[in-house]
Amino acid sequence: MAAIVRLSSAYRRAIKPLFYQSTLLVRPVAVPHKYQEQPHLLTARIHSSQALYAGSDSKAASLHWTAERVLSILLLAMGPVAYYSPGPAIDYSLAAALTLHGHWGLGQVLTDYVHGDTKIKIANASLFLLSTVTFAGLCYFNYNDVGICKAVALLWSK
């Protein structure tokens, strides 16, 4: 946009650019001098998680990212398997996978939106409690009732 403004101002001054249609004339906007002196001010306001400050291993972060993607693909595959062959093994696998998927997802939300050491500790403890209660509830439902697969099938049949 800035290049277009500069070209249009050149035209208004009756200076015709040599290659008006050329991409050689498109350049990034020049940064004002005050930002060139202290470039760290532009990135100082970006929030990053506490794990990055603690010197976490990038390989561990990469493995966690890969595990999240594998679990998501596994959940996609478990849908048809649960529909065509429901059973206790699939029910408990779904309970574990859904709980872990929710735990990791809510953990990312907490990392992004909860700030302050005390608040982070309380939020993480609450998340672990919620995940534990969720997994225990799903296992209880699988053991004492029809199970997750048959419960979803009953919901769809009505």
Side-chain angles (χ1 to χ4, degrees):
M1 184 68 182
I4 294 171
V5 171
R6 281 186 279 169
L7 289 176
S8 64
S9 64
Y11 253 122
R12 277 189 236 137
R13 287 184 265 162
I15 301 172
K16 184 175 180 180
L18 185 59
F19 302 107
Y20 184 73
Q21 298 294 330
S22 174
T23 58
L24 296 173
L25 295 175
V26 179
R27 291 181 224 140
V29 178
V31 178
H33 182 67
K34 65 180 180 179
Y35 292 120
Q36 288 178 350
E37 292 174 1
Q38 299 176 348
H40 64 277
L41 291 177
L42 296 175
T43 60
R45 297 183 185 177
I46 296 174
H47 170 72
S48 60
S49 66
Q50 294 295 328
L52 294 176
Y53 291 130
S56 66
D57 188 19
S58 63
K59 184 171 174 106
S62 176
L63 288 175
H64 179 74
W65 185 86
T66 304
E68 286 179 341
R69 298 317 173 268
V70 167
L71 181 67
S72 297
I73 293 170
L74 184 67
L75 278 170
L76 285 173
M78 289 176 81
V81 171
Y83 179 74
Y84 289 113
S85 62
I90 298 297
D91 286 335
Y92 286 104
S93 298
L94 273 172
L98 289 172
T99 303
L100 187 59
H101 184 72
H103 179 79
W104 283 342
L106 288 174
Q108 292 301 316
V109 171
L110 293 179
T111 300
D112 290 342
Y113 294 109
V114 178
H115 308 291
D117 291 335
T118 306
K119 290 180 184 178
I120 289 172
K121 288 179 183 177
I122 292 171
N124 284 334
S126 300
L127 177 62
F128 280 112
L129 180 66
L130 176 68
S131 297
T132 303
V133 169
T134 301
F135 182 66
L138 288 173
C139 287
Y140 179 82
F141 182 74
N142 287 337
Y143 187 74
N144 292 321
D145 210 336
V146 295
I148 297 172
C149 297
K150 289 186 183 177
V152 171
L154 287 173
L155 285 174
W156 284 348
S157 67
K158 292 185 181 189

